[in-house]
Amino acid sequence: MPYTVTLSPSGHSYACDSTVEVLKAGLDAGMFMPYSCRSGLCNTCRGKIVEGKVDYGDIHDAYLSEQDRAQGYALLCQAKPLSDLTIEVDEIDAGEAIRPKYMPARILDLKRAANDVMIVKLGMPMNEPTLFRAGQYVDFVRPDGVRRSYSIASTPTNDGLRSLELHMRHLPGGRFTDRVFGAMKVREMHKIEAPLGSFFLRDKSDKPMVMVASGTGFAPIKSMINDSLQRGFTRPITLYWGGRRREDLYMMASCEAWAKQHSHIRFVPVVSEATPQCAWTGRTGFVHRVVMEDFPDLSGHQVYACGAPVMVDSARQDFSAMCGLPAEEFFADAFLTEKEKSAA
C-alpha cells in the first residue's frame, strides 16, 4: 500500500509503498537525502519521525537503541512506512548534489601501495566526464546484482574526470578483492554507479576541521583535502590517520607534504599495534582517542571521519558525549565488508 512521506522542514513529499524503504523511495523520487552505507550501520540516514509509524527493520540496538526509537528516530535506509509520514531530516542542498547514474568503466592501472592495498585507476566514458563531490564513492555492480563500494580518492573538477583513483584493501576470502589482487587485468570492463553518498565537504562553514581516517578510509579524505587546496580554502585542518602498522599509512609522505607546504594543515599519524619492524616513534593507540586527547573541546569544530565502522561509530558517540561536538557537525562514511553487512 502506498503512503505519502513528507520531509521537514522542506515540505518535499513523495510516495512510498509499505514494502519499500523510506530512503530508497526518496532517492528514486529525486530527493537529496543524506546516506552512506544503506545497510543500517552508519547512522548517516538517521531521521526523526514527527508524525506516523514505521517498521524500523531488523536493526541491532547498537545502531538504533530503544531510547532512540522512543524519541522518534529511525534509520531511513531500513525503515518502511506503516502510515503517512512526516520525517525531520537534513536534506542536501540541490545545488550541492549530483544525481548518480550507471556507466561502463575500464580498469586502466593496478598499483600496489602496500601488501594489502591496491590503487586502482578506473577509466570513465570519454564522451561523458564524471562529476562528483570530494568524499563520494562508486559502486561496482556485479552481473549477479551484488555491489562493492569504494571511495573516490581523485580530486574533482568542474568539468568532470575521465579517470578515477580508488584505494582497495584486500579482504582474504572476499570474492571481489580476491580478484582485484589476483586475476583482475588492465582493460577489463565493469559496470559502476556513481557518484554516491552524502559524505562531502560542507564548504559554507568557517569552522576548523578535524579529519579522521583509518586504513583506506584515507581515500575520500585525500580527495577532500586536495579539493580544498584547489579551491583556495584556508580553514584549519587537522588530519589524523590511523593504522595497525606503519605500512597501513601507505601515503604518509603525501600527508607530510601537505603539512609542510600549507600552514593551515596539521598531520598526526597514529599506529595502534606497532611492531619492532615499524620503528615507530609517533602517536599510538586508537585514532579517535588520540583526537580526544588533543581536542577535549570540539564544540567549535566540524569532524569528517571515514574508515572502519567501529572507529566511525566510536568517534560519533564519544566526540559528542565527551568533547561537546554538535551532532550535526559530524560527517562520516563507514567502510563495511560484506561479512559485516551480513552479520548486521
Side-chain angles (χ1 to χ4, degrees), residues 121-334:
K121 186 176 181 181
L122 198 63
M124 314 308 292
M126 293 299 293
N127 62 343
E128 201 169 357
T130 301
L131 296 169
F132 64 96
R133 299 294 303 273
Q136 291 187 293
Y137 66 90
V138 307
D139 265 5
F140 282 77
V141 185
R142 293 163 52 91
D144 59 5
V146 173
R147 292 170 174 256
R148 296 293 185 269
S149 304
Y150 296 96
S151 291
I152 302 170
S154 306
T155 308
T157 68
N158 291 334
D159 297 326
L161 295 181
R162 290 184 170 83
S163 67
L164 300 179
E165 177 185 315
L166 310 175
H167 298 182
M168 301 185 183
R169 182 173 295 281
H170 188 205
L171 300 170
R175 285 184 296 169
F176 190 77
T177 57
D178 275 355
R179 177 171 175 76
V180 171
F181 283 75
M184 183 171 280
K185 302 296 183 184
V186 170
R187 298 196 61 77
E188 70 180 42
M189 298 296 297
H190 292 266
K191 178 182 179 181
I192 68 167
E193 184 181 15
L196 296 166
S198 57
F199 183 59
F200 56 79
L201 193 66
R202 268 57 179 182
D203 52 18
K204 295 179 181 178
S205 172
D206 60 359
K207 290 184 176 182
M209 295 179 285
V210 174
M211 295 188 168
V212 192
S214 67
T216 51
F218 172 69
I221 299 296
K222 173 178 181 281
S223 178
M224 286 179 171
I225 291 179
N226 279 330
D227 181 48
S228 74
L229 293 173
Q230 181 173 263
R231 294 197 279 164
F233 292 175
T234 57
R235 288 166 59 189
I237 298 172
T238 306
L239 166 62
Y240 292 81
W241 187 10
R244 291 188 303 126
R245 308 280 194 269
R246 164 63 182 84
E247 67 179 16
D248 293 330
L249 310 183
Y250 52 88
M251 281 190 169
M252 200 163 84
S254 296
C255 302
E256 292 170 337
W258 287 329
K260 183 177 181 179
Q261 296 167 14
H262 304 282
S263 60
H264 67 287
I265 298 178
R266 175 173 168 248
F267 172 51
V268 183
V270 182
V271 171
S272 62
E273 300 176 18
T275 65
Q277 290 73 26
C278 294
W280 187 252
T281 58
R283 303 288 289 277
T284 59
F286 295 119
V287 66
H288 93 282
R289 287 286 181 180
V290 173
V291 174
M292 295 169 68
E293 291 171 7
D294 293 352
F295 290 92
D297 182 3
L298 284 167
S299 59
H301 292 72
Q302 278 188 337
V303 171
Y304 295 83
C306 188
V310 64
M311 183 279 285
V312 171
D313 196 46
S314 297
R316 185 193 305 274
Q317 294 183 39
D318 292 348
F319 289 176
S320 291
M322 303 170 68
C323 301
L325 178 73
E328 66 273 13
E329 297 291 10
F330 185 88
F331 306 97
D333 197 1

